[in-house]
Amino acid sequence: MLKILATDGIDKSAVKELEALGHEVHEQFYEPEELKEALKNYDVVVVRSATKIREPIIDAAAEGGKLKMIIRAGVGVDNIDVKYAEGKGIKVRNTPNSSSASVAELVLAHMLALSRFVGISNVTMRNGEWNKKKYKGIELAGKTLGLVGFGRISRELAQKASALGMKIAYTNRSGAKDEYPEFTFMELDELLKNSDFVSIHTPAMKDGKALMDSEKISLMKDGSYLINCARGGVVDEAALLDAIKSGKLAGAGIDVFQEEPTKNKELLDHPNVSVTPHIGGSTNEAQMRIGEEVVEVIKSL
């Protein structure tokens, strides 16, 4: 029997299946200092984005000698010091196949909201304004969507956006130009200059700097849109806001922030910005798939 701690919640069906396998599952969020002590009593910890597993917590868990595995219930593992944990003999796994569709759909939701003024219309109409003439939008069909990074989520998005009639350009770290002949490979700078919408799909930079800083944003096509449903910090929020205020960019869709919960009120309140509170994987279907993957990972332990 394994003792399993789910610090940020887990789908009920996964809990039932794990318990049916004879394991003990506890769902409880702990602050960092409390988590150090708690992990000494568990074989497995399952986290989402809210819980950070950093070196001091790993040291405490390793000292306890019980923790065998950290599972990120989601795709990115930026909130876990992976190499450090593995160096201490603690395995780290994620659920890479579970939330691709839900994140891709959220990107599309932001693109549609921005292109047709859906978000700001919800605000102004409730304030008694009828801005029919002001909100002349654009259609997604025929526009170029530039995908920075071309992993599972990005490829899912490419298929969905193609179905809406969008042209797809992509860039990736491997530089593999012929792997996806149905789409157009471009180097990053070329992609930024030629895309009507740019969607980021990369992990956080190793040096902690923003991939999309003021220099990269300045390369983007005038009047284009930037979407970030990937990682907070990948986009320089100050540079992004400056570009929107100056009219360089028409707007932005943001699900992830440099600090969460974000205190960047000026960015949140800008009428040309569509925002959501880090909900890329927050669908019933994605959480069920995540739970299923977590169960399979634990079975392999």
Side-chain angles (χ1 to χ4, degrees):
M1 183 196 79
L2 298 174
K3 285 191 69 176
I4 302 163
L5 173 64
T7 62
D8 304 319
I10 187 173
D11 191 75
K12 288 182 174 57
S13 61
V15 174
K16 288 181 181 178
E17 186 168 353
L18 289 168
E19 289 177 342
L21 291 169
H23 303 310
E24 185 178 332
V25 183
H26 296 160
E27 295 183 74
Q28 174 70 51
F29 178 80
Y30 290 96
E31 295 296 339
E33 287 302 315
E34 297 172 326
L35 187 59
K36 286 182 185 180
E37 293 303 314
L39 287 185
K40 294 177 181 180
N41 302 311
Y42 289 94
D43 300 285
V44 178
V45 60
V46 182
V47 305
R48 294 180 65 188
S49 58
T51 299
K52 313 293 190 241
I53 307 289
R54 301 303 182 198
E55 291 184 10
I57 292 174
I58 293 167
D59 284 337
E63 182 182 331
K66 188 173 177 65
L67 190 68
K68 301 177 180 66
M69 181 180 286
I70 302 166
I71 302 175
R72 167 69 165 94
V75 179
V77 291
D78 300 341
N79 56 323
I80 303 167
D81 288 336
V82 177
K83 289 185 179 179
Y84 192 80
E86 292 178 339
K88 295 284 186 177
I90 302 170
K91 297 178 181 179
V92 180
R93 298 290 185 268
N94 65 345
T95 59
N97 301 307
S98 51
S99 57
S100 298
S102 59
V103 177
E105 288 187 6
L106 183 63
V107 173
L108 285 175
H110 279 297
M111 291 166 60
L112 288 163
L114 289 163
S115 63
R116 297 308 304 271
F117 301 95
V118 175
I120 190 61
S121 291
N122 271 267
V123 176
T124 56
M125 286 188 70
R126 288 167 183 161
N127 289 335
E129 300 176 38
W130 186 263
N131 296 327
K132 179 178 174 67
K133 293 182 179 179
K134 185 177 179 180
Y135 297 149
K136 181 184 283 187
I138 61 171
E139 297 176 359
L140 298 189
K143 303 300 186 296
T144 297
L145 170 60
L147 301 171
V148 181
F150 210 57
R152 292 178 179 85
I153 295 171
S154 200
R155 294 194 296 272
E156 182 87 21
L157 176 57
Q159 296 292 342
K160 294 179 185 299
S162 293
L164 294 176
M166 298 192 79
K167 303 170 186 176
I168 308 299
Y170 73 95
T171 190
N172 57 25
R173 286 178 295 183
S174 68
K177 300 180 180 181
D178 302 320
E179 194 172 354
Y180 303 98
E182 67 271 39
F183 306 126
T184 303
F185 176 87
M186 294 182 183
E187 297 294 345
L188 177 58
D189 288 1
E190 181 187 8
L191 179 144
L192 296 177
K193 292 174 183 176
N194 289 281
S195 299
D196 301 291
F197 292 83
V198 172
S199 186
I200 310 299
H201 297 278
T202 65
M205 302 286 281
K206 290 182 179 179
D207 58 8
K209 295 180 180 178
L211 170 66
M212 293 301 296
D213 55 14
S214 57
E215 181 182 349
K216 292 300 184 187
I217 291 174
S218 71
L219 296 176
M220 290 178 63
K221 188 174 180 180
D222 289 349
S224 60
Y225 298 84
L226 180 60
I227 313 295
N228 184 19
C229 293
R231 299 288 180 276
V234 173
V235 175
D236 184 322
E237 292 179 6
L240 174 62
L241 184 59
D242 286 344
I244 296 171
K245 288 164 69 175
S246 72
K248 167 66 180 177
L249 298 186
I254 313 169
D255 184 52
V256 289
F257 299 84
Q258 291 173 338
E259 178 185 7
E260 295 184 356
T262 183
K263 297 182 179 68
N264 195 340
K265 186 167 173 57
E266 189 175 6
L267 187 65
L268 295 179
D269 288 345
H270 197 287
N272 294 354
V273 176
S274 174
V275 291
T276 46
H278 202 154
I279 58 170
S282 297
T283 64
N284 292 333
E285 295 85 351
Q287 291 307 305
M288 186 174 294
R289 289 192 296 267
I290 287 170
E292 290 169 355
E293 279 199 70
V294 166
V295 171
E296 291 305 310
V297 170
I298 290 174
K299 282 181 179 178
S300 71
L301 185 59

